[in-house]
Amino acid sequence: MTEKATPASMDGIVALARDYARARDALEDTAEEIRDLQRKAIRSRIRGLRGRVADAAAAHDALRAAIGARPDLFVRPRTVAVDGVKFGWRKQAGALDIGDEAQAIARLRKLFPDREAATVNVRESLDKKALRKMPGGELARLGVAIADPVDEIVIAVAESDVDRLVAALIDDADPAGIEAEAA
């Protein structure tokens, strides 16, 4: 890529924006070609993939039924690992049933005062996301100000499947393979 000189006018910036739009169109065309190849590959293998998914589900269900039918085989150890599959029984964590939370907090403070800080949440704070949506006048009445607002360059395009596909292709690409092709 070559770096262009800074444009002297709005026309120059408009020309650069048009260059950017053409480059994105070319990128989208290439990404669409890749998506077409992916669709063809998926269509040619989808029946086999669905069959494998069904086989895996049936094997899972058979294993689950066998474990459920013979809990006596899993007294000690309660789980077994074979070929990367861990199976057996385990205790679930269970849900806490607190009942009256205020009463439980009062009891905790009385019976275990040293544990209050670790077990009782007491925090009050402003939601900054919600505050950003408020008008400036209302923020001022609250005593809230926006510190150091600065202008920044904005270049935005509606994110599309193409952007996500390109990012995924770049992330999945083998850097050594790309460098070898470029040489």
Side-chain angles (χ1 to χ4, degrees):
M1 298 233 153
T2 59
E3 200 168 308
K4 295 183 180 181
T6 304
S9 67
M10 180 57 90
D11 291 340
I13 294 174
V14 168
L16 291 172
R18 286 190 173 124
D19 288 347
Y20 177 59
R22 280 191 292 276
R24 283 199 49 83
D25 288 345
L27 175 62
E28 188 167 349
D29 291 344
T30 302
E32 187 60 39
E33 290 172 17
I34 293 170
R35 269 194 294 213
D36 287 343
L37 292 171
Q38 284 179 319
R39 284 188 212 115
K40 288 176 187 172
I42 290 169
R43 272 190 298 241
S44 69
R45 304 293 302 262
I46 194 72
R47 185 175 295 156
L49 180 63
R50 286 185 180 142
R52 297 283 173 116
V53 168
D55 292 347
H60 177 271
D61 292 345
L63 178 59
R64 183 180 214 52
I67 294 167
R70 293 296 309 271
D72 57 302
L73 297 176
F74 299 94
V75 175
R76 288 231 166 148
R78 295 186 44 84
T79 59
V80 178
V82 174
D83 293 340
V85 177
K86 185 176 178 180
F87 58 94
W89 293 85
R90 72 172 174 209
K91 283 264 188 241
Q92 293 295 316
L96 289 175
D97 183 13
I98 295 175
D100 184 358
E101 190 169 9
Q103 195 174 35
I105 291 172
R107 281 193 207 123
L108 183 130
R109 286 181 175 145
K110 180 180 178 186
L111 299 172
F112 309 105
D114 56 323
R115 294 189 191 165
E116 178 181 353
T119 56
V120 178
N121 291 329
V122 180
R123 182 163 189 258
E124 193 170 85
S125 65
L126 293 171
D127 184 348
K128 291 181 181 178
K129 277 182 148 179
L131 286 174
R132 287 189 180 281
K133 295 177 184 174
M134 292 177 68
E138 291 179 6
L139 289 174
R141 288 177 59 196
L142 294 174
V144 175
I146 298 174
D148 301 326
V150 269
D151 291 340
E152 67 177 336
I153 296 172
V154 174
I155 300 174
V157 227
E159 186 172 291
S160 66
D161 290 341
V162 173
D163 298 307
R164 288 185 285 277
L165 174 62
V166 170
L169 290 172
I170 290 171
D171 287 345
D172 292 344
D174 175 22
I178 292 172
E179 291 171 8
E181 286 180 8

